[in-house]
Amino acid sequence: MPAQRMIDMNADIGESFGAYRIGSDAALLKIISSANVACGFHAGDPAIMAQTCEAAAAQGVAVGAHPGYPDLQGFGRRAMTLSAGEIEAVVAYQVGALQAIAARAGTRVAHVKAHGALYNAAERDRDVADAIARSVRSVDESLILVAAAGSAMAEAADRHGLRFAGEGFPDRTYDDDGHLLSRALPGSVILDPVLAAENARRMAIEGTVETIGGRKIKADIRTLCVHGDVPGAVSIASAIRAMLESKGVSVVPLPALFH
Amino acid sequence: MPAQRMIDMNADIGESFGAYRIGSDAALLKIISSANVACGFHAGDPAIMAQTCEAAAAQGVAVGAHPGYPDLQGFGRRAMTLSAGEIEAVVAYQVGALQAIAARAGTRVAHVKAHGALYNAAERDRDVADAIARSVRSVDESLILVAAAGSAMAEAADRHGLRFAGEGFPDRTYDDDGHLLSRALPGSVILDPVLAAENARRMAIEGTVETIGGRKIKADIRTLCVHGDVPGAVSIASAIRAMLESKGVSVVPLPALFH
Amino acid sequence: MPAQRMIDMNADIGESFGAYRIGSDAALLKIISSANVACGFHAGDPAIMAQTCEAAAAQGVAVGAHPGYPDLQGFGRRAMTLSAGEIEAVVAYQVGALQAIAARAGTRVAHVKAHGALYNAAERDRDVADAIARSVRSVDESLILVAAAGSAMAEAADRHGLRFAGEGFPDRTYDDDGHLLSRALPGSVILDPVLAAENARRMAIEGTVETIGGRKIKADIRTLCVHGDVPGAVSIASAIRAMLESKGVSVVPLPALFH
Amino acid sequence: MPAQRMIDMNADIGESFGAYRIGSDAALLKIISSANVACGFHAGDPAIMAQTCEAAAAQGVAVGAHPGYPDLQGFGRRAMTLSAGEIEAVVAYQVGALQAIAARAGTRVAHVKAHGALYNAAERDRDVADAIARSVRSVDESLILVAAAGSAMAEAADRHGLRFAGEGFPDRTYDDDGHLLSRALPGSVILDPVLAAENARRMAIEGTVETIGGRKIKADIRTLCVHGDVPGAVSIASAIRAMLESKGVSVVPLPALFH
């Protein structure tokens, strides 16, 4: 089977904290193949991480670390200015914490995807991206980095000899430069499962992203990011998976893509 | 060389946080053989942990995890009621975080010693001790647990098949039951280097602890805990090391004791 | 109108945090007359507190501070050992923070009710209760303390010259000593609105609590605590309010009870 | 006595946290007339705040709130992107918390000065400055705002009808635009007490700042900021006070300047 007939589906999981519950983890874990698990800085806590790893392992979903800024109050979505050394340390810390929690659940951390404002910084800031890549490599060089295809993070993964999986967002609108349309703009989030599924098909089979202006841009997408945090999001994820399977695309965890 | 001619010396290290500095790490790292590194819950932060692991590795000092309650304001010294599941999760989280940070510094976590109120709870509460042992074993069964000889923690290590190193406190006074005299009582902390060094000799060579009433109690002590947080503490640690070496006792990291 | 024909209804409000939502605040604010607002230590954050005070003010609901232990991960429900001085400081801090937030919303803090494990400690531990009363008095001697009738907190309020409002729990079962039956026991939480409303009537009009064994115990109850955190809880609160009004009992904010 | 013959001296105080000690509070409190007290977000904790207010009150030093970003690990020095609403809430929260703590110590909050990265943002960002001014005004319109003379914060204070005290930094070098020279540059921090004292004299008596290029810029400076966090800083503060007094300038708390 040719390589392009396999793709991963990832989602942010385990974002509850203490008494607080958020997300649709149980439903998403039946759909996705890789879970980005919050590591206690912007969301998640040790007990939630343990439950999340156990649930992912039970569903055969691979787990990845989803490190963020130390900003629980802002859910890691507020930009913060950390030095490269601080970023290296906080990423390693969070990845390691999840590795231990995952080992207890009989699974292992397969990938790393930065969260929120850290993800955004790593998309365009080479210093931030390098700090993340350096940190991940020093902890475990077999870890796969996940970020937007074509981002500074992609280049940093390459520079540091890490495997990289570019991700696409089938439930988001892209502008004509191939970037995500700002969430502040109308139409940025796609709520129609049919449209999202068609985007997923195009990303997985044609290897292209269609922009708001109708352009088709080539993109090496290995994993599709889906969501569980807005109404209807799980239905969209479901529709995406159904579309992929109907077209003969296998949804497999990230490590299976790199064999 | 008979086993009793080797002993480990441990101290709590890396307890700074952000802009805050505490302790005498540089001086202690020249004296001890094992460092208990704070893991970010009661003290320490990712950047401090990284610096601490690097400094320990540079001195040939083995590193261990020093997990505590999530209570930075109370320095982990305030009793907290966590469920067994919560304890398992917070211990695994902290151990894993340090493992990743240690790996980056070219070293590895060799032992685990609970901090403060968690240490105290594990000394007498079987459920807490079991939770810690279970957590440590599930993360890495080669880790060595450190706690007071004869404590609930010692028994739990045994039940869970973990290696255990009983520790003695040469700069503290023991009551006639073989427990540490409360810090609230006069004379509980020994400030005289000569007395402390003599206690260390007795623990290392005779395998006994002398109590406040003059009793000698047998104790299987593999590691001597020294301090850097009070005036004169480093001198005491130094005097202890000099005494041990003058009596032909080698000060070696914990893993060397279990070969 | 005689004093016994007025009573307050209180509930814990504003327990959301950052991106996390919890509780049924909007619905409860239409039913209750006093809101216990979380102050950022065990739940709540400055922005949530601001929204909560605005919503309470818009509904004519009086606000009170609901200080807890600094334990967001445990939602303030885990016992912690704080010194009397620490308790005084953390209570004053939280009360003051809410006073400023309330002032901005055009309202003011009228009462203080400890949360979770701090509430439980203050119920039976005189030192803790005294620390809370001392702290509250030093911040604003017009504040009304709320706690279980007959608790150590009630006595401390008296000793420190603070007004006190004993509270009853119409949706909880009392044991034959007049204490709440442990939540761990079956039947401890009353899910039947009719039973809860009858308990409320008895507390408000007869001034008695009926125990699990059928005893009736006198209790000076000025405020009824209702909940929004379990399914059906809002319906129970509604049924209680309807019962009180049908019996001619006015539901009024705490300050109105002390005129 | 003409108004220009009085000036305030302020310093950041109470920046310890839990077991961590930082600064030279006792020495500075003998020199300054206004203390900027950390409020628990970037430094300080409720118990430290209480001790600090008591110490300030005992020395006749006025207290002010020193609110910062919620970033203990970064000591509030890392830029963070908070919305205007978030800034309003976190500032009000911190000011109120200190008001209650100060009341217990028999004193009251007289001024507000933002800390670290929040101070820097308010210096040039009108939205941030307006949010702070709006928050402070809504809590207590008699509070005095402190910031660099000529900053966005000064303008915002004016727009919101708050009293404002421009501050000068006699132990720092100014560039030719009248801004502080970056700490990253050599010579930015003045270590010579004689030079610092001369700068203080010029600010207090001539109402000018001398720049690195020798220009003299007019500046309405009501308070001189001194430091306690670097070696020699207390001596510099002392020299500044001695110089002022030798020239007949009274060092008085901020409120005394606005009578």
Side-chain angles (χ1 to χ4, degrees), chain A residues 231-256:
Chain A
V234 173
S235 303
I236 289 178
S238 232
I240 290 170
R241 172 131 195 173
M243 164 66 90
L244 294 171
E245 293 181 339
S246 77
K247 299 295 178 183
V249 180
S250 298
V251 177
V252 298
L254 280 169

Side-chain angles (χ1 to χ4, degrees), chain B residues 10-239:
Chain B
N10 79 78
D12 301 349
I13 295 284
E15 295 186 321
S16 294
F17 182 86
Y20 298 106
R21 292 293 167 274
I22 214 171
S24 310
D25 290 9
L28 280 179
L29 284 173
K30 290 179 185 154
I31 301 169
I32 61 174
S33 41
S34 290
N36 316 310
V37 182
C39 298
F41 274 44
H42 70 278
D45 68 39
I48 296 288
M49 290 161 71
Q51 294 160 22
T52 305
C53 285
E54 285 158 20
Q59 293 285 347
V61 171
V63 302
H66 198 39
Y69 286 131
D71 179 23
L72 187 66
Q73 198 170 301
F75 207 66
R77 288 176 179 154
R78 305 192 288 209
M80 286 182 78
T81 309
L82 270 67
S83 70
E86 287 173 324
I87 291 171
E88 285 189 51
V90 300
V91 168
Y93 183 99
Q94 293 178 70
V95 172
L98 185 65
Q99 286 178 318
I101 298 280
R104 297 180 63 242
T107 182
R108 56 183 297 284
V109 177
H111 72 278
V112 177
K113 172 179 164 178
H115 168 81
L118 180 60
Y119 182 97
N120 294 341
E123 192 160 359
R124 47 178 201 279
D125 184 324
R126 177 179 166 142
D127 291 341
V128 171
D130 271 335
I132 294 173
R134 208 157 41 227
S135 178
V136 169
R137 191 175 209 295
S138 68
V139 173
D140 177 356
E141 62 187 26
S142 76
L143 289 164
I144 301 163
L145 271 172
V146 174
S151 61
M153 193 72 255
E155 295 165 16
D158 195 46
R159 268 196 300 280
H160 291 85
L162 288 165
R163 296 181 295 176
F164 178 79
E167 72 175 337
F169 297 86
D171 63 0
R172 294 290 304 278
T173 301
Y174 285 78
D175 67 22
D176 283 335
D177 294 326
H179 298 119
L180 293 180
L181 200 65
S182 164
R183 276 179 186 271
L185 297 177
S188 62
V189 175
I190 295 168
L191 301 172
D192 179 348
V194 175
L195 286 184
E198 172 59 15
N199 284 339
R201 186 202 58 76
R202 201 179 290 115
M203 291 169 175
I205 296 182
E206 298 181 6
T208 60
V209 162
E210 188 172 283
T211 71
I212 193 169
R215 287 184 57 203
K216 287 192 182 173
I217 299 179
K218 270 282 170 204
D220 183 11
I221 290 173
R222 310 281 188 98
T223 180
L224 300 176
C225 182
V226 296
H227 299 94
D229 55 352
V230 289
V234 173
S235 304
I236 289 178
S238 230

